[in-house]
Amino acid sequence: MSPRIRVALLALSGLILLPCAAQVIAGLPAFGSTIAQYGERINAITPEARHVANMVSAINFDLRGLDTLGEEFMLLAAITGTVVLLRGRRGEGNSERAMRRPGRAVIPRSEATVLACRIAGPLTGLFGLYVVLHATVTPGGGFQGGVILASGTLLIYLGEGYAGWRDAIRSHWLDALEGGGALLFALCGLAPMLVGAAFMQNILPLGTFRDLFSGGLMPVENLGVALAVAGGFTQLFLEFMEETREAEEPDEPGEETA
Amino acid sequence: MSVLPYAVAAWLFGVGLYGIATSRNFIHLVGCLGVCQSATYVLLLGLGYRWGSIAPIFYDHPPGTPAVDPVMQALVLTDIVVGATLTALLLVLTVQAYKRGGSLDPEKLRPMRAGGKSGQRQDAGHTSGRVSEGGRKAS
Amino acid sequence: MTVILPLLFLLTAVSGTAVVLVRDPTRQIFAIAINGLVLTILFDALQAPDVALSELAVGSAAVPLLFLVALMAVRTQAPGEES
Amino acid sequence: MTLAPAVLLPLPVAIPLVFCAALLATAHLLPGRAPDVLALLAALAVAVLSAVIAVHAADKPLVYWFGGWEPHDGVHLGIGFSVDAASGWIAAFIGLLYALTFVFAWGFFDRTHGHFHILMLLFLAAMVGFCFTRDMFNLFVWFEVMSVAAFALTAYHLAESSLSGAINFTVVNSLAGFLMLGGIGLIYAQTGTLDFDSIAAAVARGGRDPVVAGAFCLVAAALMIKGAIVPFQFWLADAHAVAPSPVSVIFSGSMVSLGLFGLAKVSAVVFGGSDQVQGALPMLLIGLGSVTALLGGWMALLQRHLKRMLAFSTISHAGIMLTGLGALSIGGTGGMLVYVVGHGLVKGALFMIAGILLATQASIDEIALRGLGRGIWPAGIAMALAALLLCGLPVGALDQGTRLVQGALSAQGHGVALAATAIGAALTGAAVLRAAGRIFLGLGPDPGDEAGAPSEDEREKANRPLWLMLAPCCVLLAVDMALPAGPIAHALPRAVSAFMHRPEGGPLAEGPGWLPWASVAAALAGAGYGLFRNRLPAFVVQPVRATQSVPTRALEILHSGLIGDYAAWLAVGVAVIAAVLALV
């Protein structure tokens, strides 16, 4: 199919879909007029029922915790997939050695960069921790905090260079972190079943409203998510960076030339 | 104003799909997929908004203050994770495909076509001056 | 507020369109990062700070970074191969 | 008994998740075979638990509320699982399929620190969650987990074709996810809830509503993309043909049919109260299903790449399932559910045979393999048997499903669709029989200059004994043939009425008894024609060849492998669904 026919097909279906979409949009409640009853109900009930201030965290870790469990494992699937797909070529065994190949050009970094990164790195880490810990009271939570923590490790890369980064971060530690975090979350679901409660039922003491550790089981689950996300995203960055490093080497010869 | 967010969502999806349909570079295509996805963010958050409401965090405001829909926000959070995972996976696939096929152009990098007894005819049937399989492998 | 929100929605539409129309991947990365920022601001204006924070971390930092690295990997692989 | 059976409901999802997180955390410490053993155990546990759940759900669906958030005053705050007998048995079948696949793949993926098993277990958990959930957004989450695991598994070989196949698969199915999420947003905004039953109640109250129709259009398009229905089918052949064989077994055996299973559930339960949707469904599903059945069968006949042939045959059978759904009756949906199981068993066995050929003969090309299968003749017998079952040999679950689907179609007078199901099955059967005859008996003309296969060199690791690969394949076929028709027919009306939330009807009608035999005869004739074309007189061959060439070329150009084309067809498909909904 030539590109022109393709665009024509798209335009044609767009022409059919346009009135349909207009009809749907006209049928929706006007923007900003009302919110769904489900959300209203949660806003009304949850602060009292779970002693937490952040409704989004309450939904993510309690009311609809199963969704977050699925989401966490989706991330795990994607990162495992990334690792498999990127390492398939390099082979797993030599990944430690591959980066320490001698004679690699070292990008000179100015003192200022190193200093800035040495200051910013820990600060980013602290901010990430703050976001993780305050999941139940302010915006943020395990996922956001985990991503920020992972970017903090990237600053090590900027500041200390590749070797420093590799020294600081081992791939199978990250696997353990990621798998361990996900396992912790999954066990938070199963543990209440041991005492006869429902999967992921919040059976711990709920704490006081607006307190850091309010929400019973939520901070534990939040911690699991934070570990899994921080480990996972660092792993992701690491594998991607590896790709650019390896690219400077000549390709293994004679593999796909047939 | 009352329909603008929904129209923007529809527009974003349409324009992203157009980008995917016409893209000649896989990395560009992944970006277009992200635009399609941002349509879902805009739609969901637009549907969950209410004028004059606070964010669904009762820290500075007492519980009971009218707040926007927290469920939609939880859904969009999941959606953002989906987006990040998809982008990472697709970029990996793209990089690896480039290493194998030597191109980022969807037109040149096509899945195997073992078209049966008419495999040869199929190549001939394609016009539009595409580089033939053999020619590409050799390069 | 009533003026800012429509403007932000329009800005989102424009920045999203820009991501599609900028066909050169190197420049597209900037469009993607800007689109992420615009979305972050929009989400914050829509009273969704949690979502805004994730979008800031993912959409305007992590994802453009992944794009950048992927592009570097492709560029260094076989220079001049691309058209 | 102190424990209510409903307590078991989270376990078939949680067990594979726990196993896979533990595997990832400890992967580098575990000895070589541990991932194989653990994955097999987890899959067996899922199968057994699901079967137990299904037995307990026979009278009344089991319901489970996560986090203890049981609904108060009809308002659902948490996520629920609701398992009727049909969903439970489908999950048990999926667990069994995974267990046998793990046996088939024993030691195949040993160099990856269990990463393959991690992805497969996630895939399994997502499928079970998808079957069990009663929450719209949770359905989407499992849908996406399924997709993400599948994307990574497809590209596992890292060959050029598998990478571009995986990209097409990923892009199209991601778009499906976005459409689905958009649909969920619409229905949530309109009904104010995410629970299946509450949405259904709100939809039934609301009358004709364009938002509900729009939501259905988006969700149905997403599930049809997963189910590979024309015009969304393009990704399937690209992906299934290139994935590692054990993964293809799962893809064709359960992932595609789960898309249609989800469509069945959503259209019967969630949108059951919308007259507009129910009015549009028969035309939409039976029309698209018939086209899919014919197109998939025809394309299968044209392939020489064995896995691609099987992939197109899956498309054809997905079309047949969709026609069963389109009858909107207890019989049609029941037939479709039995068909899902039967088809999964038979198609799984066929992909295993393709994997055996890849491993032992280092090729997947029908022409190049001509006569090479003689040394592994047991696989040939299994392949011929599977091909006959595929086209309608009246034994076993697949046949029972076919008869029920055909019975529902003929009861409503859908003659064309009835013919399409028979012809589609015959075409795919003919393709597989032809390949079996050529590979294992060395039939057909000697390949001439055209023998050079356009596919790249493919092979899979040959580190397993033949019996280990053949055993799970034979078990699959044996299970398909041994599933007792009597008890299934007895339990089905009740199970399906619970599945569809509809009052029970009378006994289910079966299609005309001669129709499967006609399919078998047509398949044998088609395979014979393919193999002995050269010996037939010219006045027979010429007209057949003439009628073949034009549609063949057109179809091949359509299946271009270009992602841009697929995106355009996706828009066309959504437009078709929207147009049918608007016209009703």
Side-chain angles (χ1 to χ4, degrees):
Chain A
M1 217 159 50
S2 80
R4 200 171 300 161
I5 303 177
R6 208 184 286 163
V7 174
L9 261 184
L10 262 184
L12 190 69
S13 31
L15 222 57
I16 297 172
L17 285 171
L18 203 63
C20 301
Q23 221 185 349
V24 171
I25 290 176
L28 283 170
F31 171 73
S33 60
T34 174
I35 65 169
Q37 170 202 1
Y38 185 20
E40 195 84 273
R41 183 87 173 206
I42 287 175
N43 279 340
I45 291 178
T46 320
E48 201 183 331
R50 284 296 177 261
H51 298 197
V52 292
N54 186 345
M55 293 300 106
V56 180
S57 288
I59 293 172
N60 274 336
F61 295 116
D62 195 326
L63 285 147
R64 302 182 63 85
L66 190 66
D67 283 344
T68 312
L69 187 70
E71 174 198 321
E72 231 37 69
F73 277 89
M74 186 194 310
L75 195 64
L76 193 142
I79 287 159
T80 311
T82 311
V83 171
V84 168
L85 296 182
L86 285 180
R87 279 192 198 159
R89 190 81 177 289
R90 292 198 293 267
E92 272 185 285
N94 59 11
S95 68
E96 300 281 327
R97 252 172 297 128
M99 23 274 351
R100 289 161 180 284
R101 222 165 280 169
R104 185 181 317 285
V106 177
I107 308 155
R109 283 178 306 278
S110 68
E111 295 284 311
T113 316
V114 176
L115 191 66
C117 288
R118 281 190 184 161
I119 296 171
L123 281 182
T124 312
L126 270 180
F127 179 57
L129 274 179
Y130 174 87
V131 173
V132 169
L133 289 178
H134 287 73
T136 53
V137 284
T138 60
F143 176 71
Q144 295 92 330
V147 179
I148 295 173
L149 279 174
S151 358
T153 60
L154 261 185
L155 286 172
I156 306 182
Y157 169 69
L158 276 181
E160 310 296 325
Y162 200 71
W165 204 41
R166 282 309 303 201
D167 278 339
I169 294 155
R170 299 280 157 143
S171 181
H172 56 257
W173 294 356
L174 292 176
D175 275 346
L177 204 62
E178 191 191 349
L183 190 64
L184 178 64
F185 196 179
L187 291 180
C188 280
L190 284 174
M193 292 184 79
L194 294 179
V195 296
F199 189 88
M200 228 173 243
Q201 186 155 10
N202 207 333
I203 45 164
L204 295 180
L206 294 171
T208 45
F209 186 66
R210 301 203 332 185
D211 196 23
L212 195 57
F213 294 108
S214 54
L217 203 53
M218 281 184 227
V220 188
E221 291 167 355
N222 185 44
L223 180 71
V225 172
L227 290 178
V229 171
F233 266 82
T234 313
Q235 181 85 295
L236 196 66
F237 291 143
L238 191 74
E239 292 295 332
F240 262 83
M241 286 295 175
E242 211 99 316
E243 206 51 30
T244 62
R245 307 296 292 193
E246 195 211 23
E248 291 160 22
E249 304 297 319
D251 233 4
E252 293 107 297
E255 212 182 49
E256 282 287 316
T257 42
Chain B
M1 178 59 206
S2 68
V3 296
L4 179 68
Y6 315 134
V8 167
W11 166 257
L12 284 174
F13 194 86
V15 101
L17 202 62
Y18 165 79
I20 292 173
T22 57
S23 180
R24 296 297 299 267
N25 183 312
F26 272 124
I27 293 189
H28 172 258
L29 193 147
V30 180
C32 295
L33 197 67
V35 174
C36 280
Q37 180 151 40
S38 64
T40 60
Y41 306 157
V42 171
L43 176 70
L44 292 185
L45 286 181
L47 286 169
Y49 184 72
R50 181 170 54 185
W51 293 111
S53 300
I54 60 159
I57 296 167
F58 302 112
Y59 195 74
D60 298 325
H61 302 270
T65 324
V68 302
D69 192 344
V71 177
M72 283 298 191
Q73 302 192 3
L75 305 194
V76 176
L77 268 181
T78 306
D79 197 18
I80 287 179
V81 179
V82 174
T85 57
L86 289 177
T87 307
L89 261 182
L90 268 172
L91 286 176
V92 171
L93 292 174
T94 304
V95 168
Q96 293 286 27
Y98 178 78
K99 285 188 183 173
R100 302 292 183 289
S103 172
L104 282 173
D105 188 347
E107 303 262 333
K108 290 182 185 157
L109 195 76
R110 296 192 298 150
M112 143 212 62
R113 279 290 170 271
K117 277 134 280 172
S118 40
Q120 265 69 29
R121 257 187 304 162
Q122 190 209 353
D123 262 357
H126 279 294
T127 46
S128 77
R130 192 172 297 131
V131 186
S132 78
E133 295 267 311
R136 178 166 51 73
K137 283 259 167 74
S139 67
Chain C
M1 229 21 211
T2 42
V3 194
I4 295 174
L5 266 182
L7 275 180
L8 279 173
F9 274 114
L10 288 175
L11 200 58
T12 314
V14 171
S15 69
T17 313
V19 173
V20 172
L21 293 185
V22 178
R23 301 246 164 200
D24 173 28
T26 325
R27 271 180 277 168
Q28 198 206 16
I29 292 178
F30 290 101
I32 289 172
I34 291 171
N35 190 34
L37 270 178
V38 171
L39 283 172
T40 304
I41 300 168
L42 174 73
F43 295 165
D44 201 54
L46 284 173
Q47 302 292 346
D50 278 278
V51 184
L53 195 58
S54 326
E55 180 64 25
L56 184 69
V58 173
S60 49
V63 164
L65 191 86
L66 293 181
F67 269 93
L68 190 71
V69 177
L71 206 62
M72 275 157 68
V74 168
R75 279 284 148 82
T76 47
Q77 196 67 195
E81 171 76 50
E82 238 180 315
S83 53
Chain D
M1 207 166 114
T2 51
L3 280 176
V7 172
L8 297 176
L9 256 53
L11 295 181
V13 180
I15 287 176
L17 290 184
V18 167
F19 270 68
C20 107
L23 261 181
L24 181 63
T26 59
H28 60 285
L29 302 174
L30 289 175
R33 284 283 176 271
D36 280 322
V37 178
L38 289 175
L40 181 61
L41 282 179
L44 283 175
V46 170
V48 172
L49 280 171
S50 301
V52 171
I53 289 170
V55 169
H56 282 290
D59 294 327
K60 194 164 144 301
L62 300 176
V63 179
Y64 188 87
W65 295 99
F66 283 86
W69 289 100
E70 295 187 7
H72 289 292
D73 319 327
V75 179
H76 300 82
L77 284 177
I79 297 174
F81 272 4
S82 178
V83 186
D84 49 88
S87 307
W89 284 117
I90 295 276
F93 148 70
I94 291 171
L96 178 72
L97 192 65
Y98 270 85
L100 290 171
T101 306
F102 283 130
V103 174
F104 176 73
W106 195 267
F108 182 46
F109 297 99
D110 50 1
R111 74 182 164 87
T112 54
H113 280 194
H115 283 148
F116 166 77
H117 301 92
I118 292 169
L119 287 172
M120 287 289 271
L121 285 175
L122 276 170
F123 206 5
L124 170 61
M127 284 188 176
V128 178
F130 189 83
C131 289
F132 283 4
T133 189
R134 57 175 289 163
D135 182 282
M136 219 42 202
F137 188 72
N138 199 233
L139 191 77
F140 166 79
V141 169
W142 297 125
F143 181 89
E144 283 291 333
V145 178
M146 212 151 77
S147 302
V148 170
F151 301 153
L153 285 168
T154 306
Y156 199 87
H157 278 325
L158 289 180
E160 185 186 336
S161 59
S162 56
L163 285 162
S164 43
I167 292 178
N168 287 355
F169 178 29
T170 310
V171 173
V172 173
N173 278 266
S174 310
L175 287 171
F178 305 159
L179 289 177
M180 188 161 173
L181 190 58
I184 291 170
L186 292 180
I187 198 78
Y188 171 63
Q190 200 70 351
T191 62
T193 174
L194 287 167
D195 184 76
F196 281 176
D197 286 353
S198 336
I199 296 178
V203 164
R205 274 197 306 272
R208 191 184 169 98
D209 183 346
V211 180
V212 170
F216 177 76
C217 170
L218 295 178
V219 173
L223 292 168
M224 283 190 194
I225 290 173
K226 203 71 187 158
I229 298 303
V230 171
F232 305 121
Q233 87 285 14
F234 299 95
W235 64 267
L236 184 138
D238 290 348
H240 290 214
V242 297
S245 314
V247 179
S248 296
V249 171
I250 300 296
F251 279 7
S252 268
S254 52
M255 184 177 78
V256 170
S257 32
L258 262 192
L260 299 177
F261 172 89
L263 184 63
K265 208 171 216 176
V266 166
S267 51
V269 177
V270 180
F271 294 94
S274 163
D275 290 336
Q276 190 182 4
V277 170
Q278 297 299 316
L281 275 176
M283 183 178 155
L284 191 66
L285 300 188
I286 291 185
L288 290 180
S290 306
V291 176
T292 310
L294 294 176
L295 184 132
W298 185 252
M299 284 300 290
L301 210 53
L302 298 178
Q303 307 303 318
R304 56 190 276 183
H305 185 286
L306 207 53
K307 275 163 84 179
R308 205 167 149 79
M309 174 195 290
L310 293 176
F312 277 112
S313 129
T314 299
I315 294 177
S316 171
H317 289 274
I320 298 175
M321 292 177 209
L322 197 71
T323 56
L325 252 182
L328 291 188
S329 61
I330 300 263
T333 307
M336 178 258 180
L337 290 171
V338 177
Y339 200 100
V340 166
V341 175
H343 170 258
L345 293 167
V346 172
K347 191 56 62 65
L350 278 170
F351 267 108
M352 284 183 185
I353 291 165
I356 291 174
L357 287 170
L358 265 176
T360 58
Q361 312 297 325
S363 176
I364 192 71
D365 184 63
E366 182 191 334
I367 310 278
L369 279 169
R370 178 176 175 273
L372 288 180
R374 286 203 180 94
I376 49 169
W377 57 270
I381 294 177
M383 185 165 175
L385 179 62
L388 286 173
L389 287 171
L390 206 58
C391 62
L393 191 70
V395 197
L398 185 57
D399 170 62
Q400 195 180 8
T402 314
R403 280 166 192 274
L404 287 171
V405 167
Q406 289 176 344
L409 287 175
S410 66
Q412 301 184 1
H414 293 295
V416 180
L418 196 63
T421 60
I423 296 172
L427 287 173
T428 66
V432 181
L433 275 175
R434 185 195 68 203
R438 185 155 3 228
I439 295 170
F440 291 98
L441 295 175
L443 299 175
D446 204 14
D449 294 338
E450 276 189 290
S455 65
E456 53 192 288
D457 195 21
E458 287 181 75
R459 61 167 63 213
E460 285 183 358
K461 232 181 342 182
N463 59 350
R464 296 159 290 169
L466 180 65
W467 65 265
L468 184 64
M469 294 191 281
L470 202 53
C473 163
C474 294
V475 172
L476 283 178
L477 290 177
V479 170
D480 176 65
M481 288 193 289
L483 278 182
I488 292 180
H490 177 70
L492 200 59
R494 177 177 243 183
V496 178
S497 77
F499 176 80
M500 297 178 78
H501 293 210
R502 252 205 229 169
E504 209 169 316
L508 306 180
E510 290 206 346
W514 54 268
L515 204 53
W517 286 114
S519 290
V520 173
L524 286 170
Y529 175 80
L531 290 173
F532 303 113
R533 202 172 18 181
N534 293 8
R535 298 191 207 160
L536 289 175
F539 68 88
V540 180
V541 177
Q542 283 298 343
V544 177
R545 187 173 284 168
T547 52
Q548 266 185 354
S549 68
V550 176
T552 301
R553 276 181 72 157
L555 281 179
E556 271 169 4
I557 290 175
L558 283 189
H559 289 79
S560 58
L562 294 176
I563 183 62
D565 290 358
Y566 298 0
W569 284 115
L570 191 144
V572 171
V574 177
V576 167
I577 300 176
V580 172
L581 278 166
L583 291 178
V584 170

